């Protein structure tokens, strides 16, 4: 999640980052960190095989589509 936070800090308002995690604890920890740092989680995580896909938006700007 640290690399994701670094990337989010470099992004512009309204941009969306896809975070792919393969750790089961990510289902809980990623949403908690997103809210804690003031970003927006777009919907529930999507499971693809062993991976969880999280779409995280930088607040502000126009809501974008993924």
């Amino acid at each position: 999640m640290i690399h994701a936070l670094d990337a989010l800090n470099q992004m512009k308002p309204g941009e969306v980052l896809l975070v792919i995690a393969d750790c089961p604890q990510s289902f809980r920890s990623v949403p908690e960190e997103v809210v804690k740092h003031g970003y927006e989680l777009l919907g529930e995580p999507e499971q693809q095989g062993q991976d969880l896909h999280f779409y995280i938006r930088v607040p502000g700007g126009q809501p974008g589509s993924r």
Side-chain angles (χ1 to χ4, degrees), residues 32-58:
E32 288 174 352
E33 290 296 314
V34 167
V35 171
K36 177 181 169 183
H37 291 279
Y39 298 106
E40 300 173 34
L41 185 63
L42 302 179
E44 293 294 316
E46 298 174 4
Q47 186 159 5
Q48 295 188 12
Q50 297 279 339
D51 296 334
L52 292 170
H53 291 209
F54 299 87
Y55 293 90
I56 304 169
R57 182 170 48 216
V58 177

Side-chain angles (χ1 to χ4, degrees):
M1 188 66 199
I2 292 172
H3 295 294
L5 291 172
D6 288 343
L8 287 162
N9 283 329
Q10 301 300 315
M11 295 171 66
K12 297 176 184 166
E15 289 186 318
V16 176
L17 177 68
L18 167 61
V19 174
I20 300 173
D22 61 359
C23 176
Q25 290 86 359
S26 298
F27 190 84
R28 175 193 260 166
S29 63
V30 170
E32 288 174 352
E33 290 296 314
V34 167
V35 171
K36 177 181 169 183
H37 291 279
Y39 298 106
E40 300 173 34
L41 185 63
L42 302 179
E44 293 294 316
E46 298 174 4
Q47 186 159 5
Q48 295 188 12
Q50 297 279 339
D51 296 334
L52 292 170
H53 291 209
F54 299 87
Y55 293 90
I56 304 169
R57 182 170 48 216
V58 177
Q62 293 294 322
S65 60
R66 39 181 160 138

